[in-house]
Amino acid sequence: MKPATLDHRSDVLQNSVVVFSNNYLPMSRVNIRRAVTLLVSGRAEPLELETNLFWQLRSPSVTIEVPHHIRLRVSTAERLWKVPPVSRRELLRRDGHKCQYCGAGKALTIDHVIPRSRGGGHTWDNVVIACERCNGKKGDKYLNETGLALKTKPKAPMHPAVAFAESFWQNRPMPE
Ligand SMILES: [Zn+2]
């Protein structure tokens, strides 16, 4: 069972497999080739959810069934992850490079929801990306004095694995 013998033209290879950690936390997606490597080397095993779904890889001599979900057999020492300090780069990423008041994607600045002059902190739950126009409109006022409204409530970025796990379960179709 060598992945190298697989049909390279197969569209199946375009698909991906969800990798669960040893303690059943969905962690990431890998391509089929990587999944096969993990399975063949014994570092992962098929994970059975409510349905048993497989991608079928065919070559002239062999057919391999690759489960849609695999689980690592070894526990991955969860790397230490700390909430990053507030920075323009992280903030742009969190807010999707969009003004959190009007959705504009240009002339972006950092706005303190509770103005610093009124005691607001430079913390994840008090900073948002805002375009110059909205930031100017807001100035040193509280939100309720401006007529502006936030699209989302600002919060600290999540651990990447936790964020993946959340979206995995949220986007999962209900079992039939
Ligand atoms: Zn704006």
Side-chain angles (χ1 to χ4, degrees):
M1 194 153 98
K2 283 205 185 92
T5 63
L6 296 173
D7 183 357
H8 287 229
R9 292 157 301 174
S10 170
D11 287 343
V12 172
L13 286 175
Q14 307 301 315
N15 293 303
S16 61
V17 168
V18 176
V19 180
F20 284 69
S21 70
N22 189 244
N23 51 357
Y24 300 93
L25 192 72
M27 291 185 357
S28 60
R29 273 178 193 282
V30 296
N31 63 35
I32 296 241
R33 212 167 271 286
R34 174 80 182 135
V36 170
T37 306
L38 287 168
L39 289 165
V40 170
S41 67
R43 274 177 287 163
E45 62 190 13
L47 174 67
E48 291 177 15
L49 294 184
E50 70 278 9
T51 48
N52 286 331
L53 298 170
F54 294 91
W55 305 115
Q56 279 211 338
L57 303 183
R58 292 171 203 276
S59 78
S61 56
V62 70
T63 299
I64 299 180
E65 291 194 323
V66 184
H68 287 195
H69 309 99
I70 61 176
R71 169 179 170 243
L72 295 176
R73 288 183 132 142
V74 288
S75 65
T76 44
E78 296 276 340
R79 265 178 296 150
L80 233 64
W81 188 86
K82 281 192 283 190
V83 174
V86 175
S87 70
R88 185 181 161 82
R89 205 176 60 132
E90 287 288 339
L91 206 53
L92 282 166
R93 187 184 325 184
R94 185 197 69 180
D95 291 351
H97 292 76
K98 288 209 165 70
C99 172
Q100 294 302 291
Y101 296 111
C102 75
K106 286 190 178 149
L108 299 177
T109 62
I110 294 176
D111 176 55
H112 292 84
V113 180
I114 298 171
R116 300 203 86 172
S117 61
R118 298 195 178 184
H122 191 60
T123 51
W124 282 112
D125 57 0
N126 194 48
V127 289
V128 291
I129 292 297
C131 71
E132 277 172 9
R133 211 174 57 114
C134 290
N135 205 341
K137 209 156 136 190
K138 180 145 170 305
D140 273 352
K141 299 195 259 317
Y142 286 119
L143 211 49
N144 60 11
E145 302 167 340
T146 62
L148 292 166
L150 279 171
K151 291 188 184 295
T152 50
K153 189 172 152 47
K155 56 182 184 183
M158 264 189 278
H159 187 298
V162 175
F164 180 86
E166 258 195 14
S167 75
F168 176 82
W169 292 118
Q170 266 168 20
N171 299 329
R172 214 173 146 61
M174 295 297 284
E176 292 178 11

